Amino acid sequence: MGLLDGKVAIITGAGRGIGAAAAKLFAEQGASVVVSDLDKAPAEEVVGAIKKGGGKAVAVAGNVMEQSTNEALIKAALDNFKGLDILVPAAGFCNDKVIQKMELEDFRLMVRVHMEAPWMLCKLAYPHFKELSQDGNYRRVVFVASEAGTHGNAGQSNYGAAKSGAVGLMRVLTKEWLRIRVNCNCVAYGFVETRLTQSTSGQQILGANIGIPEQSRQMGEQFMMLRGGRILTPEEAAGAIFALAIPQADGVNGQLVEVDSGIGL
Ligand SMILES: NC(=O)c1ccc[n+]([C@@H]2O[C@H](COP(=O)([O-])OP(=O)(O)OC[C@H]3O[C@@H](n4cnc5c(N)ncnc54)[C@H](O)[C@@H]3O)[C@@H](O)[C@H]2O)c1
């Protein structure tokens, strides 16, 4: 018996990091998972690992900034698993620069991936959530934000603003979707060990340099250690998404949960 037996989840950005750990945990706990990522190979690897462990999953590759990808995700859930219970729009990256060096396009890119993409997925899910709500069960959206949005972080005016937008979206949809029993909550991470927080590696996503400068990473690490905190693993980060997605948390709605080992206080 798993805590998510019979549930159908869409997780974006699930080819790596927190999304991949969430997809594996959800599947271990009985959910059927649509594993979505910009990159096909890592998404298929995650699906392979889930199936090897006896779970159910399907990979859908595509850019979540495109409406067609979000349509394909909903279709994959309905066609393959005949349901739609949980959305986790986790796909994302950052593109850090101080504001005087940042172009408007750098800002808009973050708004597109962290605000517009979750908005699109939710909008497309609405008619299905409404129809399915007649079964009396609670459904979920777990948004993925950052303490760059809730507390601020130098060099991330684009990313922090966009992640704050995801918190606002969560709060509005909480109110709009009370009647159809879709609980909306949001996790905001501090520092999690993933590709996103590795030293700048020359890797790019859609033209943006990902990773953070080694000096900033070291400063972040020292700041945390001094306060008794630590860098979390993707599995620990995924645990918070899972905790908000299980039916035992049906009473939790409209909440922002900071996941940072306690240093954000
Ligand atoms: N790692 C952290 O410390 C941290 C902190 C705060 C918030 N977050 C957020 O957590 C989420 C997951 O990040 P992560 O740390 O696991 O990073 P990650 O780089 O390990 O994984 C992110 C995945 O998203 C995919 N992706 C990126 N843009 C996409 C797009 N446009 N369409 C489809 N897929 C796309 C990438 O290919 C990658 O596989 C992100 O939204 C990130 O902003 C992470």
Side-chain angles (χ1 to χ4, degrees), residues 12-19 36-39 42 62-65 89-93 113-114 144-147 159 163 188-197 205-206 210:
T12 72
R16 295 184 186 80
I18 301 165
S36 155
D37 205 277
L38 189 60
D39 301 322
N63 181 353
V64 292
M65 295 190 267
F93 56 98
V113 70
H114 295 292
V144 178
S146 164
E147 290 189 348
Y159 179 77
K163 285 297 197 189
Y189 295 115
F191 201 147
V192 184
E193 191 68 75
T194 66
R195 185 177 71 162
L196 190 112
T197 50
I205 297 186
L206 305 167
I210 58 167

Short mmCIF file of all heavy atoms in Angstrom, two decimals, residues 12-19 36-39 42 62-65 89-93 113-114 144-147 159 163 188-197 205-206 210, ligand 1:
data_model
loop_
_atom_site.label_atom_id
_atom_site.label_comp_id
_atom_site.label_asym_id
_atom_site.label_seq_id
_atom_site.Cartn_x
_atom_site.Cartn_y
_atom_site.Cartn_z
N THR A 12 6.83 18.31 -13.93
CA THR A 12 7.70 18.88 -14.96
C THR A 12 9.11 19.09 -14.39
O THR A 12 9.29 19.16 -13.17
CB THR A 12 7.15 20.21 -15.52
OG1 THR A 12 7.28 21.23 -14.54
CG2 THR A 12 5.69 20.09 -15.95
N GLY A 13 10.08 19.14 -15.27
CA GLY A 13 11.47 19.23 -14.81
C GLY A 13 11.88 17.96 -14.09
O GLY A 13 12.74 17.97 -13.21
N ALA A 14 11.26 16.84 -14.47
CA ALA A 14 11.45 15.59 -13.72
C ALA A 14 12.58 14.72 -14.27
O ALA A 14 12.76 13.59 -13.85
CB ALA A 14 10.14 14.80 -13.68
N GLY A 15 13.36 15.26 -15.18
CA GLY A 15 14.50 14.50 -15.69
C GLY A 15 15.71 14.58 -14.78
O GLY A 15 16.62 13.77 -14.86
N ARG A 16 15.72 15.58 -13.91
CA ARG A 16 16.88 15.77 -13.01
C ARG A 16 16.42 16.31 -11.67
O ARG A 16 15.29 16.76 -11.53
CB ARG A 16 17.85 16.82 -13.58
CG ARG A 16 18.52 16.48 -14.85
CD ARG A 16 19.53 17.56 -15.24
NE ARG A 16 20.07 17.26 -16.55
CZ ARG A 16 19.45 17.53 -17.70
NH1 ARG A 16 18.29 18.15 -17.70
NH2 ARG A 16 20.01 17.20 -18.85
N GLY A 17 17.36 16.34 -10.74
CA GLY A 17 17.22 17.09 -9.49
C GLY A 17 15.95 16.78 -8.70
O GLY A 17 15.56 15.62 -8.53
N ILE A 18 15.32 17.85 -8.23
CA ILE A 18 14.18 17.71 -7.32
C ILE A 18 12.99 17.03 -8.02
O ILE A 18 12.32 16.17 -7.44
CB ILE A 18 13.76 19.11 -6.79
CG1 ILE A 18 14.94 19.75 -6.05
CG2 ILE A 18 12.54 19.01 -5.89
CD1 ILE A 18 14.79 21.26 -5.79
N GLY A 19 12.74 17.41 -9.27
CA GLY A 19 11.62 16.81 -10.02
C GLY A 19 11.81 15.32 -10.20
O GLY A 19 10.86 14.54 -10.05
N SER A 36 8.11 14.73 -17.13
CA SER A 36 8.31 15.67 -18.23
C SER A 36 9.62 16.43 -18.08
O SER A 36 9.98 16.83 -16.97
CB SER A 36 7.13 16.64 -18.22
OG SER A 36 7.49 17.85 -18.82
N ASP A 37 10.32 16.61 -19.19
CA ASP A 37 11.54 17.43 -19.16
C ASP A 37 11.83 17.95 -20.56
O ASP A 37 11.40 17.38 -21.56
CB ASP A 37 12.74 16.62 -18.65
CG ASP A 37 13.81 17.52 -18.03
OD1 ASP A 37 14.63 18.07 -18.79
OD2 ASP A 37 13.82 17.70 -16.79
N LEU A 38 12.57 19.04 -20.58
CA LEU A 38 13.07 19.59 -21.84
C LEU A 38 13.94 18.55 -22.55
O LEU A 38 13.91 18.44 -23.78
CB LEU A 38 13.90 20.83 -21.49
CG LEU A 38 14.40 21.75 -22.58
CD1 LEU A 38 13.25 22.34 -23.36
CD2 LEU A 38 15.23 22.88 -21.94
N ASP A 39 14.70 17.82 -21.77
CA ASP A 39 15.63 16.83 -22.33
C ASP A 39 15.04 15.43 -22.25
O ASP A 39 14.70 14.95 -21.15
CB ASP A 39 16.96 16.89 -21.57
CG ASP A 39 17.58 18.28 -21.64
OD1 ASP A 39 17.49 18.92 -22.71
OD2 ASP A 39 18.14 18.75 -20.62
N PRO A 42 17.25 12.22 -20.10
CA PRO A 42 17.09 12.06 -18.64
C PRO A 42 15.66 11.72 -18.22
O PRO A 42 15.46 10.96 -17.27
CB PRO A 42 17.52 13.42 -18.07
CG PRO A 42 17.78 14.32 -19.21
CD PRO A 42 17.80 13.52 -20.46
N GLY A 62 9.67 18.08 -23.79
CA GLY A 62 9.19 19.33 -24.39
C GLY A 62 9.48 20.51 -23.50
O GLY A 62 9.82 20.35 -22.31
N ASN A 63 9.37 21.67 -24.10
CA ASN A 63 9.61 22.92 -23.37
C ASN A 63 8.30 23.40 -22.74
O ASN A 63 7.34 23.68 -23.46
CB ASN A 63 10.14 23.96 -24.38
CG ASN A 63 10.45 25.29 -23.74
OD1 ASN A 63 10.16 25.52 -22.57
ND2 ASN A 63 11.04 26.18 -24.51
N VAL A 64 8.28 23.52 -21.41
CA VAL A 64 7.03 23.90 -20.74
C VAL A 64 6.59 25.34 -21.04
O VAL A 64 5.49 25.74 -20.70
CB VAL A 64 7.10 23.71 -19.21
CG1 VAL A 64 7.17 22.26 -18.83
CG2 VAL A 64 8.23 24.52 -18.58
N MET A 65 7.47 26.09 -21.69
CA MET A 65 7.07 27.45 -22.06
C MET A 65 6.14 27.44 -23.27
O MET A 65 5.58 28.46 -23.63
CB MET A 65 8.31 28.30 -22.34
CG MET A 65 9.16 28.50 -21.09
SD MET A 65 10.45 29.70 -21.33
CE MET A 65 11.78 28.70 -21.82
N PRO A 89 4.54 21.64 -11.10
CA PRO A 89 5.31 22.34 -12.14
C PRO A 89 6.67 22.77 -11.59
O PRO A 89 6.84 23.87 -11.06
CB PRO A 89 4.42 23.56 -12.46
CG PRO A 89 3.46 23.71 -11.33
CD PRO A 89 3.53 22.49 -10.46
N ALA A 90 7.64 21.85 -11.71
CA ALA A 90 8.97 22.08 -11.10
C ALA A 90 10.03 22.50 -12.11
O ALA A 90 11.14 22.86 -11.72
CB ALA A 90 9.42 20.82 -10.37
N ALA A 91 9.72 22.46 -13.41
CA ALA A 91 10.74 22.77 -14.42
C ALA A 91 11.25 24.18 -14.24
O ALA A 91 10.46 25.11 -14.00
CB ALA A 91 10.15 22.62 -15.83
N GLY A 92 12.55 24.35 -14.33
CA GLY A 92 13.06 25.71 -14.21
C GLY A 92 14.57 25.76 -14.19
O GLY A 92 15.25 24.74 -14.13
N PHE A 93 15.06 26.96 -14.27
CA PHE A 93 16.50 27.23 -14.23
C PHE A 93 16.67 28.68 -13.85
O PHE A 93 15.68 29.42 -13.72
CB PHE A 93 17.15 26.91 -15.58
CG PHE A 93 16.56 27.63 -16.76
CD1 PHE A 93 17.14 28.77 -17.26
CD2 PHE A 93 15.39 27.16 -17.37
CE1 PHE A 93 16.60 29.44 -18.36
CE2 PHE A 93 14.85 27.82 -18.47
CZ PHE A 93 15.45 28.96 -18.96
N VAL A 113 9.27 30.86 -17.77
CA VAL A 113 9.42 29.48 -17.29
C VAL A 113 8.83 29.28 -15.89
O VAL A 113 8.25 28.23 -15.61
CB VAL A 113 10.90 28.98 -17.38
CG1 VAL A 113 11.82 29.66 -16.39
CG2 VAL A 113 10.98 27.48 -17.22
N HIS A 114 8.95 30.29 -15.01
CA HIS A 114 8.52 30.08 -13.62
C HIS A 114 7.09 30.55 -13.32
O HIS A 114 6.52 30.14 -12.32
CB HIS A 114 9.50 30.75 -12.66
CG HIS A 114 10.87 30.16 -12.71
ND1 HIS A 114 11.15 28.88 -12.25
CD2 HIS A 114 12.05 30.63 -13.19
CE1 HIS A 114 12.43 28.62 -12.44
NE2 HIS A 114 12.99 29.65 -13.02
N VAL A 144 6.45 25.21 -7.12
CA VAL A 144 7.85 25.16 -6.66
C VAL A 144 8.46 26.55 -6.76
O VAL A 144 8.74 27.05 -7.85
CB VAL A 144 8.66 24.13 -7.48
CG1 VAL A 144 10.11 24.11 -7.02
CG2 VAL A 144 8.04 22.74 -7.34
N ALA A 145 8.65 27.18 -5.60
CA ALA A 145 9.23 28.53 -5.58
C ALA A 145 10.62 28.48 -4.95
O ALA A 145 11.23 27.41 -4.85
CB ALA A 145 8.30 29.47 -4.82
N SER A 146 11.11 29.63 -4.55
CA SER A 146 12.48 29.74 -4.04
C SER A 146 12.55 30.83 -2.98
O SER A 146 11.79 31.81 -3.04
CB SER A 146 13.40 30.10 -5.20
OG SER A 146 14.64 30.56 -4.72
N GLU A 147 13.49 30.68 -2.08
CA GLU A 147 13.69 31.75 -1.10
C GLU A 147 14.30 32.99 -1.76
O GLU A 147 14.31 34.06 -1.15
CB GLU A 147 14.53 31.24 0.07
CG GLU A 147 13.73 30.26 0.90
CD GLU A 147 14.38 29.85 2.20
OE1 GLU A 147 15.57 30.14 2.41
OE2 GLU A 147 13.69 29.22 3.02
N TYR A 159 14.76 35.92 -11.50
CA TYR A 159 14.35 34.63 -10.93
C TYR A 159 13.49 34.84 -9.66
O TYR A 159 12.44 34.23 -9.48
CB TYR A 159 15.61 33.82 -10.61
CG TYR A 159 15.41 32.46 -10.00
CD1 TYR A 159 15.01 31.38 -10.76
CD2 TYR A 159 15.68 32.26 -8.63
CE1 TYR A 159 14.87 30.12 -10.19
CE2 TYR A 159 15.53 31.01 -8.06
CZ TYR A 159 15.13 29.93 -8.84
OH TYR A 159 14.98 28.69 -8.27
N LYS A 163 9.66 33.75 -9.21
CA LYS A 163 9.28 32.76 -8.20
C LYS A 163 8.25 33.33 -7.22
O LYS A 163 7.38 32.62 -6.74
CB LYS A 163 10.52 32.26 -7.45
CG LYS A 163 11.39 31.29 -8.25
CD LYS A 163 10.65 30.01 -8.59
CE LYS A 163 11.55 28.86 -9.02
NZ LYS A 163 10.80 27.72 -9.53
N ALA A 188 9.07 26.51 -1.12
CA ALA A 188 10.12 27.47 -1.53
C ALA A 188 11.43 26.95 -0.95
O ALA A 188 11.59 26.85 0.27
CB ALA A 188 9.82 28.86 -1.00
N TYR A 189 12.34 26.59 -1.83
CA TYR A 189 13.61 26.00 -1.38
C TYR A 189 14.66 27.06 -1.11
O TYR A 189 14.66 28.13 -1.72
CB TYR A 189 14.15 25.02 -2.43
CG TYR A 189 13.24 23.82 -2.63
CD1 TYR A 189 12.59 23.61 -3.84
CD2 TYR A 189 13.03 22.92 -1.60
CE1 TYR A 189 11.75 22.51 -4.01
CE2 TYR A 189 12.18 21.82 -1.77
CZ TYR A 189 11.56 21.64 -2.97
OH TYR A 189 10.72 20.56 -3.14
N GLY A 190 15.56 26.68 -0.20
CA GLY A 190 16.76 27.47 0.03
C GLY A 190 17.83 26.96 -0.93
O GLY A 190 17.84 27.32 -2.10
N PHE A 191 18.68 26.07 -0.44
CA PHE A 191 19.82 25.58 -1.23
C PHE A 191 19.73 24.06 -1.31
O PHE A 191 19.86 23.37 -0.30
CB PHE A 191 21.10 26.01 -0.49
CG PHE A 191 22.35 26.05 -1.33
CD1 PHE A 191 23.33 26.99 -1.05
CD2 PHE A 191 22.57 25.18 -2.38
CE1 PHE A 191 24.50 27.06 -1.79
CE2 PHE A 191 23.73 25.23 -3.13
CZ PHE A 191 24.70 26.18 -2.83
N VAL A 192 19.50 23.55 -2.52
CA VAL A 192 19.41 22.11 -2.74
C VAL A 192 20.50 21.73 -3.74
O VAL A 192 20.71 22.44 -4.73
CB VAL A 192 18.02 21.72 -3.30
CG1 VAL A 192 17.90 20.20 -3.43
CG2 VAL A 192 16.89 22.28 -2.44
N GLU A 193 21.17 20.61 -3.47
CA GLU A 193 22.29 20.19 -4.34
C GLU A 193 21.77 19.59 -5.64
O GLU A 193 21.37 18.43 -5.68
CB GLU A 193 23.12 19.15 -3.56
CG GLU A 193 24.45 18.80 -4.18
CD GLU A 193 25.45 19.93 -4.15
OE1 GLU A 193 26.02 20.21 -3.08
OE2 GLU A 193 25.65 20.54 -5.20
N THR A 194 21.75 20.39 -6.69
CA THR A 194 21.31 19.92 -8.02
C THR A 194 22.18 20.60 -9.08
O THR A 194 23.03 21.42 -8.76
CB THR A 194 19.84 20.30 -8.29
OG1 THR A 194 19.75 21.72 -8.38
CG2 THR A 194 18.88 19.80 -7.22
N ARG A 195 21.88 20.33 -10.35
CA ARG A 195 22.62 21.00 -11.41
C ARG A 195 22.45 22.52 -11.33
O ARG A 195 23.37 23.27 -11.66
CB ARG A 195 22.11 20.48 -12.77
CG ARG A 195 22.90 21.03 -13.94
CD ARG A 195 22.43 20.46 -15.26
NE ARG A 195 21.14 20.97 -15.65
CZ ARG A 195 20.67 20.92 -16.90
NH1 ARG A 195 21.38 20.36 -17.86
NH2 ARG A 195 19.49 21.40 -17.19
N LEU A 196 21.28 22.95 -10.87
CA LEU A 196 20.98 24.39 -10.79
C LEU A 196 21.93 25.14 -9.86
O LEU A 196 22.20 26.32 -10.04
CB LEU A 196 19.54 24.53 -10.29
CG LEU A 196 18.88 25.87 -10.32
CD1 LEU A 196 17.76 25.87 -11.35
CD2 LEU A 196 18.27 26.20 -8.97
N THR A 197 22.42 24.43 -8.83
CA THR A 197 23.27 25.09 -7.84
C THR A 197 24.74 24.69 -7.95
O THR A 197 25.54 24.99 -7.08
CB THR A 197 22.76 24.80 -6.40
OG1 THR A 197 22.55 23.39 -6.28
CG2 THR A 197 21.48 25.54 -6.10
N ILE A 205 20.72 26.53 -20.84
CA ILE A 205 19.36 26.10 -21.17
C ILE A 205 18.74 27.25 -21.94
O ILE A 205 18.70 28.39 -21.45
CB ILE A 205 18.50 25.82 -19.91
CG1 ILE A 205 19.08 24.66 -19.10
CG2 ILE A 205 17.06 25.53 -20.31
CD1 ILE A 205 18.24 24.23 -17.92
N LEU A 206 18.30 26.99 -23.15
CA LEU A 206 17.63 28.00 -23.98
C LEU A 206 18.43 29.31 -24.01
O LEU A 206 17.87 30.39 -23.83
CB LEU A 206 16.19 28.23 -23.47
CG LEU A 206 15.33 26.95 -23.38
CD1 LEU A 206 14.07 27.18 -22.59
CD2 LEU A 206 15.01 26.44 -24.77
N ILE A 210 23.57 28.38 -17.00
CA ILE A 210 23.03 27.89 -15.73
C ILE A 210 24.14 27.64 -14.72
O ILE A 210 25.31 27.67 -15.06
CB ILE A 210 22.14 26.64 -15.91
CG1 ILE A 210 22.94 25.52 -16.59
CG2 ILE A 210 20.90 26.98 -16.70
CD1 ILE A 210 22.25 24.19 -16.53
N1 LIG B 1 18.28 23.63 -6.32
C1 LIG B 1 17.90 24.63 -5.54
O1 LIG B 1 18.61 25.03 -4.60
C2 LIG B 1 16.57 25.32 -5.78
C3 LIG B 1 16.23 26.37 -4.94
C4 LIG B 1 15.01 27.00 -5.12
C5 LIG B 1 14.14 26.57 -6.12
N2 LIG B 1 14.52 25.57 -6.94
C6 LIG B 1 13.58 25.20 -8.01
O2 LIG B 1 13.38 23.81 -8.03
C7 LIG B 1 13.01 23.41 -9.35
C8 LIG B 1 13.84 22.22 -9.76
O3 LIG B 1 15.21 22.64 -9.91
P1 LIG B 1 16.45 21.69 -9.60
O4 LIG B 1 17.24 22.36 -8.54
O5 LIG B 1 16.00 20.30 -9.39
O6 LIG B 1 17.27 21.87 -10.95
P2 LIG B 1 17.76 20.81 -12.04
O7 LIG B 1 18.50 21.61 -13.05
O8 LIG B 1 18.44 19.66 -11.41
O9 LIG B 1 16.39 20.27 -12.67
C9 LIG B 1 15.54 21.12 -13.40
C10 LIG B 1 15.01 20.36 -14.62
O10 LIG B 1 14.10 21.24 -15.30
C11 LIG B 1 14.28 21.06 -16.69
N3 LIG B 1 13.84 22.26 -17.39
C12 LIG B 1 14.37 23.50 -17.31
N4 LIG B 1 13.72 24.35 -18.12
C13 LIG B 1 12.74 23.64 -18.72
C14 LIG B 1 11.75 23.95 -19.67
N5 LIG B 1 11.63 25.19 -20.16
N6 LIG B 1 10.89 22.97 -20.06
C15 LIG B 1 11.00 21.73 -19.56
N7 LIG B 1 11.94 21.36 -18.66
C16 LIG B 1 12.80 22.30 -18.25
C17 LIG B 1 15.78 20.83 -16.86
O11 LIG B 1 16.07 20.19 -18.08
C18 LIG B 1 16.12 20.00 -15.62
O12 LIG B 1 16.10 18.61 -15.90
C19 LIG B 1 13.18 24.64 -10.24
O13 LIG B 1 11.94 25.25 -10.46
C20 LIG B 1 14.08 25.52 -9.41
O14 LIG B 1 13.93 26.88 -9.75
C21 LIG B 1 15.70 24.92 -6.79
#
